[in-house]
Amino acid sequence: MNTTPRLLNRLVLAVLGLLLLAAGAAGLAVLTLPAVASWWGSTAPRVGGWIDRLRRGTTLEGQSDTWLWLALAAALLLLIVLLALWIAAQGRGRTGLFASVDGRVGGHSGGHSGGHSGGHSGGRDTDDRDTGDDGTAGSVVITATAVEQALKAALLERTDLAGTSVSTWEVRGVPGLRVRVYPKKGVPPYVTAAEVSRLVEALDVVTGYRTPVLISIRSGARVRFSRAERVT
Amino acid sequence: MSPDPLDRSTPASTARLVRRELYSSRAVASVVTGVLLIAVCLVLLFEAILKAVGDAPFLLDVEAAAARIGALPGAVPPSLLGAGSVFLLVLGALLLLLAVLPGRRARYTIPDGRAAVVVDAEVVASSLARRARVAAGVAPEQVLVTISRASVRVQVRPTSGVPVDADAVRAAVADDLQRSSVEPAPRISVVVAESGVIGQ
């Protein structure tokens, strides 16, 4: 449900894996194959000489060493920042806003707003923000907490659930609900799915939005140590 | 087509939600890899700055290391070079497999008109175990359900002297699976143990 960059993760892991494989294979080849070892023995000094010439060529007057070290440092710093951004991008996408409608869009009573937010998801939110201040009578905001609490309160009444958690996430530009329920041992998942689905439909009626919902029926430590539902 | 303006859920977004729940995002592997790479980069950055200002190396002498790599396979003992190379190979293969394998989680999806529904395999197994236990008339400890993507295996240890109707167990399990309509539908096999146990 989060916006973890899955393709990027796999691409980076694949590139790193290939690099490590190549390094390991090269090490083994130098160790075991005499031909490769002799080739490397003749190539390495030439590479070393090339690097030495490069260092001499880039050493400024009055300096002891090349400025390439500083360039290398800058490149490494950039790489570190990119890696930190990559880590920070994992598991993002939680949102605190369930819905927001400004007064003007609401004033046109449904029919008009259907025309401009029909096709493209995500357009609605930006439209609302852009037109939020010019001559509107007011705006309506439903925070995510309100919806989460409502659904959670309804789920807590069920005795066949050992635990629940509801959170709101950005799904393709619109807020969506993630409902995690932990049924007690032996509760048929189709019953849980149908009941939670019915509650979600009731929530649709209450909020007026038909939002993307993920119902995740899970098992966990809390369930494993709970007693089984005895009524059959 | 003129959808309800407040209808923000589409079949495509529901299918996407299900797909993303069924497969691993590789977030953990990515974070671990990222942290390790940042550590390596920090050491190199430090050494590069020391070189730039003309100080002595701190942890790693970059020039000496480069010279050693140039002198391979002479400069390091063969056993160390071999072990290091194999380690790199294994690590590289691991990362490549993480990137290429689908990383399917032990979950199923239940078709639903309103929401995307995914179920942990453990929840399905526990529901099947209850149905099988009731159909066989045995205690909970006498039923073991193993569930995988393609098959469900129900093992029943009957109470001594009380025969267990394997077909009834199979029918109950099939009924429960069919009601859940988990996708993909697994194959069912029921195994009744030869020897019974003393019942509760």
Side-chain angles (χ1 to χ4, degrees), chain A residues 118-193:
Chain A
H120 44 120
S121 59
R124 182 184 184 84
D125 279 349
T126 49
D127 282 356
D128 290 352
R129 259 174 236 136
D130 289 347
T131 60
D133 283 336
D134 46 359
T136 57
S139 63
V140 178
V141 170
I142 308 178
T143 61
T145 332
V147 178
E148 288 164 14
Q149 293 296 327
L151 199 49
K152 209 162 173 184
L155 287 168
L156 277 178
E157 289 173 9
R158 303 197 53 81
T159 52
D160 56 353
L161 300 180
T164 60
S165 84
V166 186
S167 50
T168 310
W169 300 75
E170 201 85 20
V171 181
R172 289 259 168 109
V174 296
L177 287 176
R178 187 188 72 187
V179 185
R180 277 192 177 161
V181 292
Y182 298 83
K184 289 182 183 164
K185 265 189 253 172
V187 176
Y190 53 89
V191 172
T192 312

Side-chain angles (χ1 to χ4, degrees), chain A residues 55-67:
Chain A
R55 281 176 70 173
R56 271 199 301 280
T58 54
T59 304
L60 299 176
E61 288 293 324
Q63 298 254 316
S64 61
D65 212 337
T66 170
W67 53 264

Side-chain angles (χ1 to χ4, degrees), chain A residues 27-32, chain B residues 72-86:
Chain A
L28 276 189
V30 166
L31 185 66
T32 53
Chain B
L72 284 179
V76 287
S79 58
L80 189 66
L81 178 60
S85 301
V86 169

Side-chain angles (χ1 to χ4, degrees), chain A residues 203-214:
Chain A
L203 187 75
D204 290 347
V205 175
V206 172
T207 61
Y209 281 91
R210 196 170 172 278
T211 204
V213 176
L214 171 75

